[in-house]
């Protein structure tokens, strides 16, 4: 049983076919890298894995169940721009959410009533 499986997976935006007939499987513990020319659909695929983009055709399953149509705590993506800290490693970026969560210096944004207009 594969951890992740794509079978005849397709993604279209209107008439624009971004991914077509994508077939592969990932076994538990495997480390996978996506490589391809700019615009070939890497980010689109990751968004389907995250659940922020719907599958157009075919199937994409995690533990033999279709990927849910919304993000969940079991899947995460560190995007290549905007949200990554370039001075940190990939692992450092992934761990940042945990660090921020446990930081004592991170306060809730609040405006005292006297300062609110
Ligand atoms: N929301 C969208 N609506 C329409 N077309 C889109 C949308 N998102 C992506 N595309 C198109 O899908 C194709 C694949 O884009 P994608 O961003 O997945 O490529 P990529 O492989 O991640 O490229 P890069 O290496 O530059 O990050 C591109 O032609 C892009 O213009
Ligand atoms: Mg991309």
């Amino acid at each position: 049983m594969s951890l992740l499986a794509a079978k005849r997976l397709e993604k279209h935006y209107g008439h624009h076919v971004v991914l077509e007939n994508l077939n592969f499987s990932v076994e538990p513990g495997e480390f996978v890298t996506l490589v391809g020319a700019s615009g070939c659909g890497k980010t689109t695929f990751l968004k389907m894995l995250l659940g922020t983009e719907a599958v157009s055709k075919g199937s994409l399953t995690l533990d033999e169940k279709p990927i849910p149509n919304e993000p969940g705590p079991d899947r995460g993506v560190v995007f290549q721009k905007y949200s990554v800290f370039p001075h940190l490693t990939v692992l450092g970026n992934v761990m940042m959410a945990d660090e921020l969560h446990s930081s004592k210096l991170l306060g809730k944004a609040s405006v005292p009533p006297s300062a609110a207009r």
Side-chain angles (χ1 to χ4, degrees), residues 11-14 16-19 35-47 53 80-81:
K11 179 65 189 177
H12 315 156
Y13 289 110
H16 184 187
V17 179
V18 176
L19 296 170
V35 182
S38 181
C40 74
K42 301 177 297 292
T43 297
T44 301
F45 171 75
L46 290 175
K47 285 179 177 174
E53 283 289 347
Q80 67 199 82
K81 289 182 193 162

Side-chain angles (χ1 to χ4, degrees), residues 34 42-53 71-84 90 93-95 97:
L34 278 181
K42 301 177 297 292
T43 297
T44 301
F45 171 75
L46 290 175
K47 285 179 177 174
M48 288 196 287
L49 201 52
L50 190 63
T52 59
E53 283 289 347
D74 55 334
R75 285 159 292 134
V77 168
V78 176
F79 289 99
Q80 67 199 82
K81 289 182 193 162
Y82 311 119
S83 58
V84 294
V90 171
N93 273 281
V94 171
M95 297 304 291

Side-chain angles (χ1 to χ4, degrees), residues 8-73:
R8 307 182 81 169
L9 183 65
E10 294 187 17
K11 179 65 189 177
H12 315 156
Y13 289 110
H15 294 298
H16 184 187
V17 179
V18 176
L19 296 170
E20 190 174 28
N21 200 22
L22 191 62
N23 296 287
F24 71 89
S25 59
V26 177
E27 305 307 321
E30 269 191 306
F31 184 90
V32 178
T33 305
L34 278 181
V35 182
S38 181
C40 74
K42 301 177 297 292
T43 297
T44 301
F45 171 75
L46 290 175
K47 285 179 177 174
M48 288 196 287
L49 201 52
L50 190 63
T52 59
E53 283 289 347
V55 169
S56 303
K57 220 170 169 186
S59 72
L60 182 61
T61 56
L62 185 65
D63 276 332
E64 300 199 326
K65 292 181 220 89
I67 295 276
N69 283 331
E70 57 185 24

